[in-house]
Amino acid sequence: MNLSDPFSRFRTGLLAALLFASGVIAWAADAPTLKGAYREDFQVGVAVNRSIVTGTPSPRRVAALVAQDTELAKAQFNQISPENDLKWQLIHPREGPDGYDFGPADAFVNFGLSNRMEVVGHTLVWHSQTPNWVFAGTNPPPAVIDAPAVVAASTNAPGTNRPGPGRFGPGGFGRYDGPRASREELLARMRDHIHTVVGRYRGKVKCWDVVNEALADGPATNVLRKSLWLEIVGPDFIAKAFQYAHEADPDAILRYNDYGLENPVKRRKLITLIKTLQEQKVPIHAIGSQAHVNVGTTFETMDQTLTELATLGLAIHITELDVNGAQGGQQGFGADTASNAATTGGGLVSDADRKLADAYAGIFRAFLKHRDTVKLVTFWGVNDAVSWRANGKPLLFNGTNQPKPAFDAVIAEAKKTAAGK
Ligand code: GLA
């Protein structure tokens, strides 16, 4: 824009409005942005799918909408997380020297770097979306294999962000029950995976979810999730993963990431786990709180959550924020997030937009109150149409990338805080 030409701003605005109306761009140049409104407080990021970073249409999203999604991601956010493409199942589907598929992950990282966005890696060690070969070996499995806690759960299908065949469903990514690797074999595979993936993006990916969802739901006595990582390696699989990631990139911020931390029982488990890791001098630098919450989540709940998490003395990253607006959505925040996608079919509550806006206002008020420790807030998806909880319309933009009242509410909270500074 030529600053000495008084009409240049007008013409730029007009052009932006025309492009906006025609759907070529999703966001007018002068409109408020999340990254702008919160620039003094924390980074605001978004999980992106493969279509967004490659500009490729998919069977459920035509090219014009994908172009809008991409524009919105660039306009509104200054950090990105990969919705699927860095998960083990996608980046490392096969054993052996040719076992890695780096293409989509490279595209994701390059998209972030070329748009000057902070790039987060998600996720290195998880019980879900990990191929069976990782756990396979020659040791007979135990005679009785416990059923997984969530059987019919849904999560993102590979390469999409639609609920897929399930964390434990068909497709080879469920709970493997054949002959198992030894502890040494599994640790060697973990080390190779972490060293290769973190090493490849060293200096580019600044922050990693090293271990995802290692905590169990349910009673306080049941601390760690019964995963194959735990059963084969033992509880130190968590410390080992952080150690390997730190070796691969000593400058990276390493996160432990989990859901349901708004639940006091789960939160206490998290605090116990992290304190133990800290006592063992495990290189862990941030807590990732997924925050897949529902419209009933209040300022008080989030304030209490952040107050207690802050006692660990680590940065807090809100890693997968969405607020389910549907009846039958996450009723209690103890529920496994995997079961939420399956339960959002009950229809929207009345005045859903208003309720969602109120919930988001309270949640962001709490983030702002804790802005000394909250360093990053990442939304799990750019808009309702591409959300894994699409039925719950949980995000700030609708399926055609128009801002909802919740967007205005989130911007308004930042302005109120800025005015009070
Ligand atoms: C968890 C994972 C995410 C995503 C969501 C649901 O929160 O961390 O990667 O799979 O489940 O899709």
Side-chain angles (χ1 to χ4, degrees):
M1 183 171 29
N2 176 359
L3 291 176
S4 61
D5 171 0
F7 297 107
S8 121
R9 193 177 171 78
F10 171 74
R11 279 197 295 270
T12 309
L14 188 65
L15 179 65
L18 285 171
L19 290 170
F20 182 65
S22 64
V24 174
I25 66 166
W27 203 247
D30 296 340
T33 64
L34 296 165
K35 66 182 178 189
Y38 284 88
R39 69 184 172 280
E40 305 284 331
D41 307 302
F42 39 73
Q43 291 184 300
V44 186
V46 69
V48 289
N49 58 39
R50 195 181 297 180
S51 287
I52 290 176
V53 302
T54 58
T56 316
S58 70
R60 65 194 176 83
R61 201 94 179 134
V62 297
L65 288 173
V66 170
Q68 270 192 6
D69 298 349
T70 305
E71 283 309 316
L72 188 77
K74 291 199 275 193
Q76 290 288 330
F77 303 97
N78 50 24
Q79 176 270 327
I80 51 168
S81 298
E83 210 165 351
N84 279 300
D85 280 328
L86 268 85
K87 291 174 180 169
W88 197 315
Q89 172 187 327
L90 290 147
I91 198 170
H92 194 181
R94 298 169 304 277
E95 194 173 11
D98 300 326
Y100 289 89
D101 285 343
F102 291 120
D106 286 356
F108 160 78
V109 172
N110 291 338
F111 177 85
L113 296 179
S114 53
N115 290 297
R116 294 198 307 272
M117 294 157 139
E118 189 96 359
V119 181
V120 163
H122 170 85
T123 180
L124 296 169
V125 173
W126 191 22
H127 64 279
S128 180
Q129 292 187 262
T130 304
N132 287 344
W133 69 260
V134 176
F135 304 109
T138 55
N139 299 302
V144 179
I145 296 180
D146 288 346
V150 181
V151 178
S154 293
T155 188
N156 295 358
T160 79
N161 40 23
R162 282 285 181 217
R167 293 182 178 193
F168 302 100
F173 303 113
R175 169 134 179 149
Y176 170 73
D177 60 8
R180 297 175 173 194
S182 66
R183 169 182 158 91
E184 290 67 33
E185 281 166 329
L186 186 50
L187 282 175
R189 287 173 188 164
M190 182 203 270
R191 185 174 180 281
D192 165 70
H193 177 81
I194 292 177
H195 276 211
T196 304
V197 175
V198 174
R200 183 177 183 89
Y201 302 116
R202 182 170 171 168
K204 296 180 174 174
V205 171
K206 296 285 171 57
C207 174
W208 283 96
D209 285 329
V210 178
V211 176
N212 200 32
E213 303 181 349
L215 291 170
D217 292 314
T221 44
N222 193 8
V223 179
L224 291 183
R225 175 187 297 274
K226 229 175 146 21
S227 70
L228 286 164
W229 292 110
L230 178 66
E231 288 176 17
I232 298 174
V233 176
D236 65 335
F237 83 88
I238 302 172
K240 292 282 185 199
F242 278 92
Q243 178 197 320
Y244 298 152
H246 191 58
E247 285 164 9
D249 185 352
D251 296 325
I253 296 169
L254 304 182
R255 300 197 299 221
Y256 174 81
N257 191 45
D258 217 322
Y259 64 84
L261 303 181
E262 300 77 19
N263 175 332
V265 178
K266 186 101 179 248
R267 190 161 66 236
R268 267 195 295 280
K269 294 183 200 182
L270 181 279
I271 290 171
T272 306
L273 170 67
I274 303 301
K275 279 193 173 148
T276 309
L277 296 173
Q278 288 175 320
E279 279 159 18
Q280 295 166 0
K281 305 268 180 280
V282 172
I284 174 167
H285 310 122
I287 302 300
S289 175
Q290 294 184 4
H292 290 297
V293 296
N294 66 11
V295 276
T297 307
T298 59
F299 164 81
E300 286 75 18
T301 299
M302 202 47 87
D303 181 28
Q304 183 69 22
T305 302
L306 296 171
T307 302
E308 290 181 26
L309 293 182
T311 60
L312 290 166
L314 298 177
I316 298 171
H317 293 186
I318 305 297
T319 52
E320 305 184 16
L321 179 64
D322 55 16
V323 180
N324 199 336
Q327 283 176 344
Q330 188 183 16
Q331 295 291 353
F333 27 58
D336 190 315
T337 52
S339 57
N340 291 325
T343 56
T344 49
L348 292 182
V349 293
S350 61
D351 200 16
D353 274 349
R354 180 48 36 212
K355 287 195 168 118
L356 189 73
D358 290 348
Y360 265 112
I363 290 168
F364 270 80
R365 207 155 52 244
F367 294 163
L368 283 162
K369 178 177 169 189
H370 293 273
R371 62 180 178 276
D372 287 348
T373 41
V374 174
K375 300 294 180 201
L376 171 64
V377 175
T378 307
F379 287 85
W380 203 247
V382 292
N383 65 44
D384 287 342
V386 301
S387 164
W388 72 299
R389 303 206 288 184
N391 290 343
K393 297 190 167 43
L395 295 166
L396 302 185
F397 299 92
N398 71 15
T400 52
N401 291 308
Q402 301 305 307
K404 295 157 60 177
F407 171 81
D408 300 329
V410 168
I411 296 286
E413 287 307 319
K415 287 191 177 148
K416 272 191 238 164
T417 303
K421 269 179 194 161

